[in-house]
């Protein structure tokens, strides 16, 4: 009987896509033992139990994520700067966050853990960090995934997602603006006077994602306008104050 710590280490290495042979050598175990952990009847039964507990969409009956605010926020991040890779043995959800916003990186990781993830990794890239998590059940929670760029395929909410986003529009918008948006200070010069005022901008090439942003703003009574085809602006004082209640500057 091997200690449970070895099995857990083997499963972690598998999720990180370490080759099967390297896992066996690193743990000093036979291929048959490690293979039984990965593919045996007990592993399948454990996966079924885990699906019922961890994945709300695989539960019977299916349920919504327990932390709906965190889910709405993570969905907004995914639609902006995230992608879901399903070609690997274990699907991986990645959201890219700029190095300039360490608070955003922390919030993204916390949202993944609150929604589904057991473990979250940070992969440093040039100028940004890829916050990622492996799970067979990320595709269950993000049915918007698919091949190609998001703006090249239809993006719409599933029937079970819509009520959550309606009820958590502030969190959803926070995710959208934290990924593809910003809060800036506009400067206007009129004669000898310079006026400075805050403004929110959101840009995205997908007309469907832009529509979802517009709908959430409308439900919250936030006035907006389109600066150009792929950019939305919120500039009126009362509208900016409303967004400040649940978004605010990145940090």
């Amino acid at each position: 009987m091997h200690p449970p710590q070895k099995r857990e280490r083997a499963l972690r290495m598998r999720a990180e896509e370490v080759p099967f042979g390297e896992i066996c050598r690193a743990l000093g175990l036979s291929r048959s033992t490690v293979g039984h952990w990965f593919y045996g009847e007990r592993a399948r039964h454990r996966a079924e139990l885990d699906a019922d507990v961890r994945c709300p969409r695989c539960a019977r009956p299916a349920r919504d994520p327990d932390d709906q605010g965190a889910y709405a926020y993570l969905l907004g991040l995914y639609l902006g700067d995230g992608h879901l890779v399903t070609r690997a043995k274990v699907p991986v959800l990645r959201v890219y966050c700029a190095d300039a916003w360490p608070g955003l990186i922390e919030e993204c990781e916390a949202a993944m853990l609150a929604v589904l993830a057991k473990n979250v990794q940070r992969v440093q890239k040039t100028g940004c960090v890829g916050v990622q998590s492996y799970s067979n059940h990320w595709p269950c929670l993000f049915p918007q995934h698919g091949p190609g760029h998001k703006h090249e395929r239809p993006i719409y909410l599933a029937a079970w997602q819509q009520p959550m986003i309606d009820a958590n529009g502030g969190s959803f918008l926070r995710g959208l603006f934290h990924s593809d948006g910003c809060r800036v200070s506009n400067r206007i010069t009129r004669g000898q006077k310079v006026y400075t005022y805050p403004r929110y901008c959101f840009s995205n090439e997908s007309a469907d994602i832009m529509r979802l942003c517009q709908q959430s703003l409308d439900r919250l009574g936030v006035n907006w306008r389109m600066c150009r085809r792929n950019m939305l602006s919120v500039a009126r004082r009362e509208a900016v104050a409303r967004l400040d209640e649940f978004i605010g500057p990145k940090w």
Side-chain angles (χ1 to χ4, degrees), residues 150 153-156 205-213 215:
K150 297 188 191 80
R153 63 178 191 268
I155 299 290
Y156 54 89
E205 290 297 324
S206 168
D208 288 339
I209 294 175
M210 186 63 72
R211 173 181 48 79
L212 293 174
C213 180
Q215 290 174 349

Side-chain angles (χ1 to χ4, degrees), residues 169-190:
S171 296
F172 180 59
L173 288 171
R174 182 175 172 82
L176 289 177
F177 278 89
H178 274 187
S179 56
D180 278 347
C182 61
R183 186 186 190 275
V184 298
S185 293
N186 263 22
R187 292 172 61 88
I188 296 179
T189 302
R190 291 181 178 173

Side-chain angles (χ1 to χ4, degrees), residues 87-124:
R87 296 185 303 274
K89 289 183 179 179
V90 180
V92 55
L93 174 67
R94 291 192 182 100
V95 177
Y96 290 100
C97 306
D99 289 339
W101 315 119
L104 171 57
I105 297 171
E106 294 286 347
E107 283 196 66
C108 180
E109 179 175 331
M112 286 186 180
L113 290 169
V115 172
L116 178 69
K118 291 182 177 179
N119 298 289
V120 177
Q121 300 87 38
R122 300 183 185 184
V123 181
Q124 184 64 55

Side-chain angles (χ1 to χ4, degrees), residues 27-201:
L27 298 178
L29 298 173
S30 67
R31 297 176 69 90
S32 60
T33 297
V34 178
H36 180 70
W37 286 347
F38 290 171
Y39 311 112
E41 186 63 33
R42 183 175 296 179
R44 285 193 293 272
H45 179 64
R46 187 183 298 270
E48 291 172 359
L49 292 176
D50 183 67
D52 288 339
V53 173
R54 297 289 301 174
C55 178
R57 303 311 302 168
C58 291
R60 293 296 178 265
R63 66 180 192 276
D64 293 333
D66 296 330
D67 192 330
Q68 296 188 12
Y71 175 78
Y73 176 68
L74 187 58
L75 177 60
L77 290 179
Y78 162 74
L79 292 177
D81 287 331
H83 71 279
L84 179 55
V85 179
T86 58
R87 296 185 303 274
K89 289 183 179 179
V90 180
V92 55
L93 174 67
R94 291 192 182 100
V95 177
Y96 290 100
C97 306
D99 289 339
W101 315 119
L104 171 57
I105 297 171
E106 294 286 347
E107 283 196 66
C108 180
E109 179 175 331
M112 286 186 180
L113 290 169
V115 172
L116 178 69
K118 291 182 177 179
N119 298 289
V120 177
Q121 300 87 38
R122 300 183 185 184
V123 181
Q124 184 64 55
K125 303 288 185 179
T126 303
C128 68
V129 172
V131 183
Q132 65 181 35
S133 171
Y134 290 85
S135 174
N136 287 319
H137 298 285
W138 283 124
C140 308
L141 294 172
F142 293 97
Q144 288 74 29
H145 75 88
H149 299 292
K150 297 188 191 80
H151 67 274
E152 296 174 345
R153 63 178 191 268
I155 299 290
Y156 54 89
L157 297 180
W160 60 269
Q161 290 176 304
Q162 189 69 63
M164 271 194 298
I165 300 308
D166 291 347
N168 297 274
S171 296
F172 180 59
L173 288 171
R174 182 175 172 82
L176 289 177
F177 278 89
H178 274 187
S179 56
D180 278 347
C182 61
R183 186 186 190 275
V184 298
S185 293
N186 263 22
R187 292 172 61 88
I188 296 179
T189 302
R190 291 181 178 173
Q192 299 299 317
K193 293 185 177 181
V194 177
Y195 299 90
T196 303
Y197 65 92
R199 172 189 181 194
Y200 281 92
C201 294

